Amino acid sequence: MEIGGEFSFLDIVNSATRSRTAAGVKDYTEIWLCPYEVKEAPQNTRQEYKNIDALADAFLLVGQEQPTVLGRVNGEYRIVDGHRRNRANIMLIERGYEQFKKVRFFYKDMTENMYELSLLAGNGYTQDLTPYEKTELAGRLKKVLEKMRDNGEIELKGKLRDIIGQYLGESSGQMGRYEKINNSLTEEAKEQFKNGNLGSVAAYETARLPAAEQKIIAERAAEQGGIEGKEIAAIVQEKKELEKQTKKAEEAAKEAKKAAKAAQDAQIGAAQASLQAERSAENADQSAGVVIGINPPMVSNMDTEENGESSPEKLEGETVYTLQQLMIQAKKVTYNELLVLQDILMNCSNRK
């Protein structure tokens, strides 16, 4: 079966069900069944069945001109079109009218997917559907057509959103809003949408919010008996502004942190450079007059004083030589060894 973009959705109705006209009846088989034997759709598009008693009275006066249409799925008879008619038949049986225990039906063998499509197409006269029912219809049509396309039961040409939108008489933009509601609205909010406390605009604006905020909107709608879409839109806008300001504040904090770190690094670098300069100057002063490469002055027992230490002159010469050699080996000095040297330097600086 091929469904193209250049058509009315009635083409789907005709090709999938062909059950609502005299010409379509020939594709179905007549059968007489008890109304209790047939099953209502597990999930019907219409949520309410009104005026069943009036329809039952009409059957008594003029008879039932249009039989209920069934799909036989895995041996089970399910209603495709005529839920109100079947309920009216059951009401008449319960009133005691025996002639309605067997009534005429039309049925056709169907797959699960074809039954779902036939049911939705049969319920697709959307002028009296509520916004919730129309949104549900759009979502279910999308799912079943995708399944049938993927299974090779049907071929679709054109964008699926446009195909369904043409049938429902809605623009592509409105179909996008239906999808957002079906995909993102929480169960609590959907219940308020179903009850009429949220309209289409309000439901769409609510679907754009996180789940926690949707719960607040649903509770408010239940308490107030409804909430306007513009009120929810204002909440969404306020949330966007808050997120924008929060993002700016976070970016400013990051930049401030970077600047502070750069200043700290510069300060540390300056301190290290100053310390290095001081050390270089001290080394230069201590090295003045000393010939690099001479043999180190030797300290003998003859040079010791009463306390057993070298004479000041000998000790100074030996210290200068040792420091010269350390300068050559500076790359090999460890951090702990450097601390020892710095302690020595500080001790010497503090002496008078």
Side-chain angles (χ1 to χ4, degrees):
M1 183 187 305
E2 179 176 314
I3 297 178
E6 301 293 332
F7 69 100
S8 164
F9 197 85
L10 186 60
D11 294 336
I12 290 184
V13 178
N14 289 336
S15 60
T17 65
R18 301 190 61 84
S19 64
R20 302 184 68 90
T21 65
V25 170
K26 66 181 181 180
D27 296 331
Y28 287 74
T29 301
E30 182 182 79
I31 189 171
W32 289 78
L33 296 170
C34 175
Y36 287 110
E37 292 181 65
V38 303
K39 305 294 183 183
E40 290 190 352
Q43 185 182 4
N44 197 25
T45 303
R46 287 188 172 87
Q47 303 296 312
E48 291 185 87
Y49 300 102
K50 300 178 181 179
N51 303 320
I52 300 299
D53 52 349
L55 183 60
D57 293 340
F59 285 177
L60 284 175
L61 290 174
V62 299
Q64 181 177 340
E65 297 180 0
Q66 188 175 9
T68 297
V69 178
L70 310 174
R72 188 167 67 178
V73 183
N74 299 323
E76 180 180 73
Y77 292 100
R78 302 180 190 173
I79 300 174
V80 171
D81 179 59
H83 286 79
R84 292 179 67 248
R85 294 193 291 274
N86 199 62
R87 289 195 176 196
N89 287 328
I90 291 174
M91 180 178 285
L92 289 170
I93 294 172
E94 292 174 351
R95 287 180 183 177
Y97 295 97
E98 298 288 328
Q99 65 270 33
F100 289 95
K101 287 186 175 180
K102 286 284 185 179
V103 294
R104 189 171 64 137
F105 294 87
F106 288 109
Y107 83 93
K108 182 178 183 179
D109 286 313
M110 299 180 182
T111 64
E112 288 282 359
N113 288 335
M114 185 58 74
Y115 171 74
E116 174 76 353
L117 179 60
S118 300
L119 175 69
L120 297 175
N123 287 335
Y125 294 89
T126 59
Q127 64 271 19
D128 62 344
L129 293 182
T130 67
Y132 172 81
E133 291 170 348
K134 186 178 276 193
T135 304
E136 284 283 294
L137 176 60
R140 289 175 64 188
L141 277 171
K142 181 175 182 289
K143 287 181 181 179
V144 70
L145 287 174
E146 285 176 339
K147 284 182 182 179
M148 296 180 75
R149 178 193 61 196
D150 295 342
N151 292 340
E153 296 179 67
I154 197 170
E155 182 179 349
L156 299 174
K157 286 188 176 181
K159 293 182 179 180
L160 189 55
R161 176 187 292 186
D162 294 338
I163 293 172
I164 299 173
Q166 184 178 0
Y167 173 50
L168 297 179
E170 301 289 359
S171 66
S172 179
Q174 181 60 36
M175 292 304 300
R177 287 186 278 275
Y178 284 156
E179 287 185 14
K180 181 64 177 178
I181 292 171
N182 282 321
N183 294 336
S184 303
L185 199 63
T186 62
E187 290 304 318
E188 296 96 334
K190 278 185 179 179
E191 188 66 23
Q192 297 307 312
F193 186 29
K194 180 179 178 180
N195 294 339
N197 292 331
L198 293 176
S200 292
V201 175
Y204 170 69
E205 294 294 346
T206 303
R208 298 169 64 190
L209 297 170
E213 295 180 31
Q214 289 194 41
K215 183 177 181 180
I216 296 174
I217 295 296
E219 291 173 353
R220 189 181 302 178
E223 292 172 0
Q224 300 176 182
I227 188 170
E228 296 291 332
K230 60 183 180 181
E231 185 178 349
I232 300 172
I235 294 174
V236 173
Q237 186 61 34
E238 182 180 349
K239 181 176 181 296
K240 284 184 177 180
E241 288 298 325
L242 180 60
E243 290 176 347
K244 186 177 179 182
Q245 294 302 323
T246 301
K247 186 176 181 181
K248 283 184 178 179
E250 289 175 351
E251 290 176 352
K254 286 181 181 179
E255 290 299 322
K257 188 175 181 181
K258 285 182 181 179
K261 189 175 186 306
Q264 184 181 22
D265 291 343
Q267 197 173 25
I268 292 173
Q272 290 176 340
S274 177
L275 179 61
Q276 184 64 36
E278 289 178 6
R279 289 175 179 172
S280 298
E282 290 172 359
N283 290 336
D285 290 341
Q286 292 174 357
S287 301
V290 179
V291 180
I292 298 176
I294 64 173
N295 290 329
M298 302 301 294
V299 180
S300 65
N301 292 332
M302 297 296 295
D303 297 321
T304 60
E305 298 185 1
E306 293 181 358
N307 58 5
E309 295 181 353
S310 299
S311 66
E313 294 78 9
K314 295 289 185 179
L315 183 61
E316 180 180 358
E318 189 173 350
T319 301
V320 170
Y321 174 78
T322 302
L323 291 173
Q324 288 175 340
Q325 297 303 311
L326 272 174
M327 290 177 65
I328 297 173
Q329 303 295 330
K331 291 183 178 180
K332 300 179 182 178
V333 174
T334 66
Y335 180 73
N336 289 332
E337 291 170 340
L338 176 61
L339 292 178
V340 173
L341 292 173
Q342 289 176 341
D343 288 340
I344 294 172
L345 178 60
M346 289 180 63
N347 291 335
C348 293
S349 299
N350 292 330
R351 290 183 190 138
K352 293 182 180 181

